[in-house]
Amino acid sequence: MKILVVGSGGREHAIALKLKENPEVEQIFAAPGNGGMAAFCTLANVKATDVDSMVAFAKENAVDFAVVTPDDPLVLGMADAMEAAGIPAFGPGKAAAVIEGSKVFSKNLMKKYGIPTARYETFDDEAAAVAYLKAQNTYPAVIKADGLALGKGVIIAKSEQEAVGAVHSMMSDRIFGASGSHVVIEEYLEGPEVSVLSFTDGKTLVPMVSSKDHKRALDNDEGLNTGGMGTIAPNPYYTPEIAARCMEEIFLPTMAAMNAEGRTFKGCLYFGLMITKDGPKVIEYNCRFGDPETQVVLPLLKSDLLAIFRAVRDGGRSEVPVEFSDESAACVVMASGGYPQKYQTGYEISGLDEMGQAEGVTVYHAGTKLENGKFLTAGGRVLGVTAVGDTLEDALCKSYAAVEKISFQNVHYRKDIGKIR
Ligand code: AMP
Ligand code: GLY
């Protein structure tokens, strides 16, 4: 089979590597892919958001199965476009991807179907939003732009002044572009965060092993929010008791709600949860695998990923096994100094060969490119160094040992991944 994996991050590297384990897979196209994927995939110079060109590429190259990984092409309807062109695709259609594409949609869905989440109101008028903030007078307040906003559209305001400023910057100054035309203002929740990815075909849903993302740029959860600086799996806060509640109160009701809305979700549904003192609540839904959650979840998957993808797409999810090892995994992201703000790229990465040999370690590439046989940095998050071990400590130890052997100019990584406070 010829497979197309759309996207270019560490998540896509992890998915492609896992798919390659299936002996039926002859060739994997990565569009646009990265330096690490070049070793075992055919890179295609097509932008992940260019739906028409991606479908044309898939047709020209007789792709048998397309995996649409990132949020933006899914929200644009790339999975539907592949299917319409006769190419089976993994990933929700546009109607279901709105669960991530619009926070107003997802909040209203949760309210309508009684799924636990932070209390909120939505606004399309700045004056009304400001009046609401003043009437509530409770801080911190959480202000979210409606649309995708590159995962950065959330401001946690500690005072009225900050909150009013945040609403103004989203709604009038449009710092997050058009996604600021609508905002959600919600209650601030406290508790440990857990990411749970799941496979669902709309009939059944199976959660994957839980994980924990470290979103802030600096140690001790300081600095700006990033796409994710490191992950561990399983998440120590996700006890069997919490898992059972999540299944009953959140996961299955969400699947049923999407069906009831005529928006059946088929693909990987990601639950961003907070374990509050009143129980687990939804912080956000994503319509796709998380990055870097995937880099710790898939190394623990014992089952055939391609078989799962095909079954989810065909509506036969319950017929294929989805089993995880009971080991632990840790991923430390090595980023370009300055990320998530300004940073320089084009630096040579050294130490990669040696690390490719280390037992239980996989280096997933994200912002890298291969030029004249050398790996160069080419993005904010450069590498995700993952290790699997019998215990979390073991996995962390191996991962950090590998990180210390890899280097490039201005490298930045967190030293406290997996430290639970
Ligand atoms: P989101 O993009 O919705 O995942 O939000 C980004 C981050 O902001 C989350 O991972 C949380 O750490 C934080 N956050 C979002 N909503 C809330 C909330 N209602 N209360 C507290 N923190 C939140
Ligand atoms: N790591 C968070 C996300 O993928 O949205």
Short mmCIF file of all heavy atoms in Angstrom, two decimals, residues 213 227 270 286 288 290-293, ligand 2:
data_model
loop_
_atom_site.label_atom_id
_atom_site.label_comp_id
_atom_site.label_asym_id
_atom_site.label_seq_id
_atom_site.Cartn_x
_atom_site.Cartn_y
_atom_site.Cartn_z
N ASP A 213 1.05 16.69 29.06
CA ASP A 213 1.85 17.62 28.26
C ASP A 213 2.40 18.71 29.18
O ASP A 213 1.77 19.04 30.19
CB ASP A 213 0.92 18.25 27.19
CG ASP A 213 1.68 19.12 26.20
OD1 ASP A 213 2.92 19.08 26.18
OD2 ASP A 213 1.02 19.83 25.43
N GLY A 227 3.45 24.90 21.94
CA GLY A 227 2.72 23.73 21.45
C GLY A 227 2.90 22.53 22.37
O GLY A 227 2.13 21.58 22.33
N TYR A 270 -9.43 13.95 20.75
CA TYR A 270 -8.50 14.26 21.84
C TYR A 270 -9.25 15.03 22.91
O TYR A 270 -9.88 16.04 22.61
CB TYR A 270 -7.37 15.09 21.23
CG TYR A 270 -6.41 15.85 22.11
CD1 TYR A 270 -5.04 15.81 21.85
CD2 TYR A 270 -6.82 16.66 23.17
CE1 TYR A 270 -4.13 16.54 22.60
CE2 TYR A 270 -5.92 17.38 23.93
CZ TYR A 270 -4.58 17.31 23.63
OH TYR A 270 -3.69 18.03 24.37
N ASN A 286 -9.70 18.36 20.79
CA ASN A 286 -8.99 18.49 19.53
C ASN A 286 -9.47 17.39 18.60
O ASN A 286 -9.83 16.30 19.06
CB ASN A 286 -7.47 18.40 19.72
CG ASN A 286 -6.92 19.62 20.46
OD1 ASN A 286 -7.40 20.73 20.27
ND2 ASN A 286 -5.93 19.41 21.30
N ARG A 288 -7.84 15.61 16.51
CA ARG A 288 -6.61 15.03 15.94
C ARG A 288 -5.70 14.55 17.06
O ARG A 288 -5.95 14.83 18.23
CB ARG A 288 -5.90 16.13 15.18
CG ARG A 288 -5.84 17.36 16.09
CD ARG A 288 -4.82 18.36 15.82
NE ARG A 288 -4.93 19.44 16.78
CZ ARG A 288 -4.21 19.56 17.86
NH1 ARG A 288 -3.27 18.67 18.14
NH2 ARG A 288 -4.38 20.56 18.69
N GLY A 290 -2.49 14.70 19.44
CA GLY A 290 -1.76 15.82 20.04
C GLY A 290 -0.28 15.72 19.71
O GLY A 290 0.24 14.64 19.42
N ASP A 291 0.40 16.85 19.78
CA ASP A 291 1.84 16.90 19.56
C ASP A 291 2.41 17.71 20.72
O ASP A 291 2.07 18.88 20.85
CB ASP A 291 2.10 17.60 18.22
CG ASP A 291 3.56 17.55 17.82
OD1 ASP A 291 4.42 17.37 18.70
OD2 ASP A 291 3.85 17.70 16.62
N PRO A 292 3.21 17.15 21.59
CA PRO A 292 3.94 15.87 21.55
C PRO A 292 3.31 14.70 22.30
O PRO A 292 4.04 13.77 22.66
CB PRO A 292 5.27 16.25 22.18
CG PRO A 292 4.94 17.30 23.20
CD PRO A 292 3.69 18.00 22.70
N GLU A 293 1.99 14.66 22.50
CA GLU A 293 1.39 13.48 23.15
C GLU A 293 1.62 12.21 22.32
O GLU A 293 1.91 11.13 22.86
CB GLU A 293 -0.12 13.68 23.35
CG GLU A 293 -0.50 14.60 24.49
CD GLU A 293 -0.60 16.05 24.09
OE1 GLU A 293 -0.03 16.44 23.04
OE2 GLU A 293 -1.23 16.83 24.83
N1 GLY B 2 0.01 19.25 22.86
C1 GLY B 2 -1.24 19.90 22.71
C2 GLY B 2 -1.87 19.79 21.39
O1 GLY B 2 -1.46 19.04 20.53
O2 GLY B 2 -2.84 20.50 21.16
#
